[in-house]
Amino acid sequence: MPKELSTPQPALPRHIAIIMDGNGRWAKKRLLPRSAGHGAGMKRMISLCDHAFSRGIRVMTLFALSTENLSRPKEELEALFGLFREYFRSNLSKLREKGIALRVIGDLSLVPEDIRTLARGGEEATKDGKTGTLVLAIAYGARADILSAVNRAVEGGRPVGEEEFSALLGTAGLPAPDLLIRTGKEKRISNFLLWELAYTELYFSDKMFPAFTNRDLDRALDDFAGRERRFGKV
Ligand code: FPP
């Protein structure tokens, strides 16, 4: 049997994670403030998620703010917090209509309290969604998430296996990402989902995130469909 027939390939990823990089450079090139880049990025993010869910992707995980990003200038952080508020206030009914459950991962004790409340309210309001899950990583760092899981495991007083450990992470209960997309030319993981990405296919785009179109997502999906995933086997 030809090799490609012996290794069944899922044509479509179940779970896509995206590092939405390049908002600042996109804005700079247009002589706009960085906040305008984040605003354009949010619009792109909404459109990409609509497109992905309509194509049958089940989980979208988006890196919206890292713990390291929290040391950015106050003005830029305020602009990002403003976008999060706007997103949570304006998009929940649409998520509910489409059957998308919202989940927010990260250390929300590091962001203003009203955002924490809006995020938890959004999760509650959409929790019955069965079509897909939208995971927003806010004030998220994978090392911190892993450490917190390790500490909880240690408190349990006995060794845990991989599955049990996965259930202690922010992404508990979700399948691992099949495909990671990073826009903005850089080729690194930047403390995103370090445990979960063990066997994820990586796709890097030179486009800045606000310029990464739905068609570009289709290209990434086509590329994914041609990959042979062996998960360490032959
Ligand atoms: C990285 O680009 C991007 C961010 C730190 C923020 C991403 C946030 C959004 C796209 C808005 C999300 C909105 C919601 C509601 C989740 P960068 O600023 O580091 O770009 P640069 O590398 O070009 O400077």
Side-chain angles (χ1 to χ4, degrees):
M1 194 189 292
K3 195 158 184 252
E4 57 272 28
L5 291 182
S6 66
T7 317
Q9 261 326 114
L12 204 63
R14 252 196 320 174
H15 181 175
I16 301 180
I18 307 185
I19 300 178
M20 306 184 285
D21 193 20
N23 293 345
R25 280 164 287 160
W26 180 91
K28 190 173 176 196
K29 200 173 162 198
R30 287 159 182 80
L31 306 177
L32 294 167
R34 294 178 60 83
S35 56
H38 295 313
M42 182 170 88
K43 287 195 185 122
R44 239 359 6 259
M45 177 197 99
I46 293 171
S47 175
L48 286 167
C49 287
D50 283 348
H51 184 61
F53 287 126
S54 74
R55 281 204 56 175
I57 308 298
R58 299 304 303 267
V59 186
M60 292 290 287
T61 298
L62 306 169
F63 206 178
L65 190 73
S66 69
T67 40
E68 292 74 22
N69 294 152
L70 287 165
S71 50
R72 287 196 177 187
K74 191 169 178 286
E75 193 184 289
E76 181 172 351
L77 276 183
E78 278 311 322
L80 280 165
F81 292 152
L83 290 175
F84 298 159
R85 290 185 182 99
E86 181 189 331
Y87 182 82
F88 291 133
R89 291 195 178 118
S90 318
N91 287 276
L92 296 185
S93 49
K94 203 177 91 181
L95 291 178
R96 270 162 63 136
E97 270 165 38
K98 292 179 182 252
I100 307 298
L102 173 70
R103 184 144 156 200
V104 183
I105 60 172
D107 185 354
L108 290 186
S109 71
L110 301 175
V111 300
E113 195 181 347
D114 67 312
I115 293 185
R116 207 151 62 232
T117 308
L118 284 167
R120 295 297 171 233
E123 290 178 322
E124 180 60 27
T126 58
K127 68 175 192 300
D128 295 328
K130 298 277 184 282
T131 306
T133 305
L134 169 62
V135 186
L136 295 181
I138 293 181
Y140 173 86
R143 285 182 176 175
D145 195 34
I146 291 170
L147 261 185
S148 132
V150 167
N151 288 326
R152 284 166 65 195
V154 167
E155 275 167 27
R158 58 173 181 80
V160 296
E162 289 191 10
E163 233 172 89
E164 223 180 319
F165 186 74
S166 298
L168 297 171
L169 295 169
T171 50
L174 297 170
D178 302 294
L179 174 65
L180 171 82
I181 298 174
R182 179 175 185 141
T183 61
K185 257 187 178 163
E186 311 294 357
K187 292 174 182 61
R188 52 179 172 254
I189 303 297
S190 301
N191 201 15
F192 191 40
L193 303 175
L194 295 178
W195 170 273
E196 296 86 339
L197 293 177
Y199 282 101
T200 301
E201 297 294 325
L202 308 179
Y203 183 91
F204 297 101
S205 167
D206 284 350
K207 288 205 173 176
M208 301 299 122
F209 185 68
F212 189 81
T213 62
N214 295 353
R215 180 72 199 99
D216 291 319
L217 178 61
D218 288 338
R219 284 192 194 100
L221 292 174
D222 288 347
D223 187 271
F224 174 85
R227 307 264 181 116
E228 188 194 359
R229 302 186 78 195
R230 290 192 299 274
F231 298 97
K233 302 188 178 79
V234 288

